[in-house]
Structure formats: structure tokens, C-alpha cells
Amino acid sequence: MAGTRVKARGESMLAERFSVFAECLLTGVWIAVASLGGVTYPAAFAAGARHLRRRTAHEDGGWREFAADFCTALRGGWLAGVAGWAAVAAVWVDVQAARAGIPGGPLVGAAGVGALIGLVVAGLRAAAVWEPDARWRTLLAQAWRRTILDPAGSFLVVAGLAVVALSAWFAAPLAAPVLGAVAAAAVAVEERYRHR
């Protein structure tokens, strides 16, 4: 039954931490598969983050709970996905304008890329705290505020994204499992912010 505590396993601390790491990699694959819809990536990250929160709280949960959370998050999450792709398109236009030699173009292009990175971080932070009764608009507004007020935490999420990019550059199949590590990083950053 979802939400029930798992009995103590008697594992060593090393075994417990390794199992959380392995769960992050598995969750990354689930996130990658659920994101194949193009606009489904916010819901996929939200379901993945919720799964990892359950795992670190020693609660039951697996693929079925992930799928149920994904379907619930998708109700409003697909709009957030469309908005994300619109932001990427706008930044792409900015960068193309900067490359065309328009006066002030490099500054506008750099500002656009910086804003896009901020939006991605805010989106991941929103997904990290998603609950089934939450509204995406509210989550994103609050996450944007936390992104600005907690630059150290936001930098940690950016570092996680850099690991995904480097993994994809090194060996493309590694990018999928590493997505779970990014979700875990966002969950950890939000937990750290909550306890400040």
C-alpha cells in the first residue's frame, strides 16, 4: 500500500546509501521514458521527485505509484511543459539575433540564456515539491522566488544539470539514469531550503 512505512531492513549505512543511489538511477530511466511525450517532462520530474521522497522516507512505492503520480501531475503539468518549450524557442530567437550582429545582441543573448537556466532551475525546484493537490502555477511562482533567494541551492541544481549534459556528451545512454540524480539534487536542495 502506497504511503506506508517500510520495515527497517537492518542494512548498513553504506548499503542504504548505495540503494538510494541505485534508486535515483532507476528513477532517471522512468523520468526519461515518461518525458518522451515532449511536454510531459514537468510531470515526469514531479513523479520522480515524489518517488525519491518516498524512498528516502522509507515508504513503499514503485513503478505503479510513479505512474499514478505522473498521470496526476500531467493534468496541469503539460501546460508547464508547453511554456518551457516556448521559453526555449524565445531564447533560441535571442541567440540567433545575437549571432546576426544586432547591436546589443550578445548582451540580450546572454540574458536570455541566463533567464532560461533560471526557469529550468525553478521548474525543477517546483517539481521537487509537487504534491497531487498542488497547482503548477503556484508551484512555479514559489519556486521562482526560492530560485532567486537561494542562489547556493540553485547553483547545486545547475551543477546537476551540467552532470547530465556531460554524461550525454560522454555517452548518450548515461543521460537517462542521471536524470534521477538531478531530481534527487532538486529534492535535496528543497529539503535544505525548508530547514534553513
Side-chain angles (χ1 to χ4, degrees), residues 32-186:
V33 170
S35 296
L36 291 176
V39 297
T40 59
Y41 62 90
F45 270 99
R50 189 152 191 254
H51 171 74
L52 292 173
R53 288 195 319 262
R54 273 194 302 267
R55 175 62 179 88
T56 56
H58 301 285
E59 295 176 1
D60 281 337
W63 171 252
R64 288 184 184 135
E65 288 78 13
F66 173 88
D69 285 341
F70 173 71
C71 290
T72 303
L74 193 56
R75 289 185 194 131
W78 70 271
L79 284 172
V82 169
W85 284 116
V88 168
V91 169
W92 183 81
V93 169
D94 279 351
V95 169
Q96 294 307 313
R99 294 177 79 195
I102 293 175
L107 180 62
V108 171
V113 169
L116 181 63
I117 291 170
L119 287 173
V120 170
V121 170
L124 286 169
R125 292 185 79 154
V129 297
W130 176 85
E131 291 291 337
D133 59 347
R135 293 183 45 147
W136 278 98
R137 174 177 249 155
T138 305
L139 286 174
L140 289 166
Q142 292 169 349
W144 181 254
R145 185 171 183 267
R146 290 190 306 274
T147 298
I148 293 168
L149 295 176
D150 182 23
S154 297
F155 177 76
L156 290 172
V157 176
V158 170
L161 292 169
V163 169
V164 171
L166 289 172
S167 297
W169 177 70
F170 179 70
L174 289 179
V178 174
L179 288 173
V182 173

Side-chain angles (χ1 to χ4, degrees), residues 2-27 30 47-63 65-66 69 180 184 187:
T4 59
R5 293 224 172 238
V6 175
K7 292 182 181 173
R9 298 183 190 130
E11 296 177 332
S12 70
M13 184 65 78
L14 180 62
E16 173 68 20
R17 289 183 178 165
F18 185 75
S19 68
V20 170
F21 174 69
E23 196 71 29
C24 287
L25 298 180
L26 176 62
T27 303
W30 292 351
R50 189 152 191 254
H51 171 74
L52 292 173
R53 288 195 319 262
R54 273 194 302 267
R55 175 62 179 88
T56 56
H58 301 285
E59 295 176 1
D60 281 337
W63 171 252
E65 288 78 13
F66 173 88
D69 285 341
V187 167

